[in-house]
Amino acid sequence: MENIRTQGLDTQIQDVRPDAQRTARALLDGYFHQDRRMHHLLQGAYPVAETEEQKALDRMADAYNTEFPDNPDARDAGRAFMYASFAQDEIENWQHLKPQDNLPHTELAVTPTDTVYDDPLEDPRWEQDVRRYLEHACELAGIDPAYAREHTSFMKAHHADADSLAEQAIRAHSLKVQSIADVDEDTAQDLATYFLRGSELHDDWTMERDDAFYQTVDLVTEYYDKLYRLRE
């Protein structure tokens, strides 16, 4: 038996694959440092934000490298995906970032603009920047290019807490699942529900690795364990 967290909850997963545990931790570390990057950007702590940015990029690169082990471009694909996530954060928080006179544009993933939209969903940079990064990730990793469109739509639905959120999450992530393992559509959708649940748990995270973080690690490890066994 392997206890897949270093602290937190008591649940254990039997006979988990080491690569599943490794990928889950890398992926969620990436999201953790992404959140901390945005927090420090909003606080004007730009050197700290830059450090968190590099950690996020490195850990998402690690995750993609294990998801696509035979692809020499996998690490770059992971970085492209993380840049899309940075851009999402910046669009959603542009009304707070834009007024910072000393904000270095070199710190940004999005194209700077003087326009601040009352509704961030009206911002054209969802397509110009977020989707462009995702398209690049798809190209590098060999993911169905429709994933870029669908995941951008999921990100926007998540921001709006739209009724279509669950459906959009499963539609988007099913495409990535089928790029990692040769599974049918029903199996891909079943596995994609883990992504939906993981995104819900992520909403409860803080700036520290607490029980909510490690609960998500457990869940995502189970997802990767099932996924990797299917691609054997």
Side-chain angles (χ1 to χ4, degrees), residues 6 20 88 128 133 146 149-151 165 169 181 201 217 223:
T6 58
Q88 173 194 6
Q128 294 173 2
Y133 285 125
R149 179 187 68 248
E150 298 295 349
H151 194 74
L165 176 62
L201 290 173
V217 173
Y223 156 75

Side-chain angles (χ1 to χ4, degrees), residues 64 67-68 70-78 134-148 174-181:
Y64 265 66
E67 289 180 332
F68 302 96
D70 299 323
N71 188 333
D73 295 322
R75 294 188 65 83
D76 286 340
L134 291 172
E135 287 172 346
H136 189 46
C138 289
E139 180 182 3
L140 291 168
I143 302 170
D144 186 330
Y147 172 77
S174 293
L175 293 168
K176 187 178 179 185
V177 166
Q178 290 181 299
S179 299
I180 296 174

Side-chain angles (χ1 to χ4, degrees), residues 45-56:
Y46 304 126
V48 183
E50 185 176 2
T51 298
E52 295 293 344
E53 175 176 314
Q54 191 57 56
K55 289 178 180 179

